[in-house]
Structure formats: structure tokens, C-alpha cells
Amino acid sequence: MKFDEFTGTVQHRLELPGTGETVRAIRATLMALGERIPAGAAEDLAASLPMEIKWYMTGAVHEHGQRFDWSEFVARVADVENAERADAAYHAQVIVDLVRDLVPESDFRQLRDQLPESEDDENWGKLFELTDAGGWSDPNEG
């Protein structure tokens, strides 16, 4: 998948008005994810993404492997994206679901293994709610 196709897909799924907002949502999500996971895991996950998108998880991140919970992740995404927290959380879910479609199963499993899914604030399972529900589907289709 090329950059334009990736951003177009995200823009369509999130119903964002323009490319600028779309790229901000992608950048915010992937940078925060890249900050949370180890550098090697970020490289593995990003390897199957378009070059311009890959950079957000790797080159744009100054410190990989930071310890923060789901709530802090959403706050970081919202801050970079300049969006409400609920919107940022949903945007991240949609973007991660698209990433899931593009990367090898082993790389996605590695991502999940590094993000604890529990009932407390650390509940990264929320990031995967859309993926676990069967992935994004267009309500206007079918």
C-alpha cells in the first residue's frame, strides 16, 4: 500500500475533511505507539507500512520503550492531533486496525504482547477493540 492509499483509506474511515487532519491523526497515533514499544518492535511493525508512514514510528521517535498506560497514550495522541480524547482514541483504533491489515501476523502479535491488556488503567485492550470486533467495515456498503 502506498502513502496516498493509506492516507485516503484513513481519511475515508474517519470521515476527516482533509489530508492535513488525516496525516496528523496518523502521525499522532504512530508516534505515540512508537514511543511506547521497543525500537526493534517499532521497526518490525513499521517495515510493512509506506515509507512516509513508517517514519512516524521510527525516525520521529526520540525515545522508544517508554512506560505509559492507555490513558496517557490517548492524551499524547489527542495533544499531537489537536483533538478531543474520545476522538483521538477512536482514530487510534481505526489506524491500528488498518495497520493490522498490512503487517505480518507475527509483528502484530508482538505489538499486542508488549501492551498489557487488563482491567485497570493499563488496559491496552481498548486499542484493539475494533480489530477484535472483526475490523472496520463501511456502514454505507452492503
Side-chain angles (χ1 to χ4, degrees):
M1 181 177 276
K2 297 198 180 306
F3 175 77
D4 291 343
E5 187 180 357
F6 188 96
T7 56
T9 300
V10 171
Q11 184 175 353
H12 171 72
R13 290 181 181 185
L14 294 179
E15 299 179 359
L16 294 173
T19 304
E21 297 90 346
T22 304
V23 170
R24 258 194 316 279
I26 295 166
R27 183 182 74 220
T29 297
L30 296 183
M31 280 180 63
L33 203 53
E35 290 169 346
R36 177 60 176 79
I37 62 178
E43 288 284 344
D44 290 347
L45 194 63
S48 300
L49 301 177
M51 180 179 56
E52 303 89 341
I53 303 297
K54 173 184 177 176
W55 187 82
Y56 296 137
M57 291 192 79
T58 57
V61 174
H62 300 293
E63 183 184 348
H64 292 278
Q66 298 175 39
R67 298 291 304 170
F68 54 84
D69 63 13
W70 164 250
S71 180
E72 174 63 19
F73 172 81
V74 172
R76 289 179 185 209
V77 173
D79 185 50
V80 171
E81 190 180 348
N82 194 25
E84 297 293 324
R85 288 176 59 96
D87 290 337
Y90 177 67
H91 294 172
Q93 291 171 334
V94 169
I95 292 164
V96 166
D97 185 56
L98 178 57
V99 167
R100 164 67 192 98
D101 291 344
L102 301 177
V103 303
E105 177 66 33
S106 60
D107 292 341
F108 198 75
R109 193 174 332 107
Q110 180 182 28
L111 171 67
R112 290 194 77 146
D113 290 347
Q114 294 168 350
L115 300 173
E117 298 180 34
S118 63
E119 295 302 316
D120 61 15
D121 268 351
E122 187 74 6
N123 189 4
W124 285 91
K126 294 176 184 173
L127 182 61
F128 306 107
E129 284 179 353
L130 188 57
T131 300
D132 291 345
W136 189 86
S137 62
D138 191 338
N140 298 320
E141 292 179 3

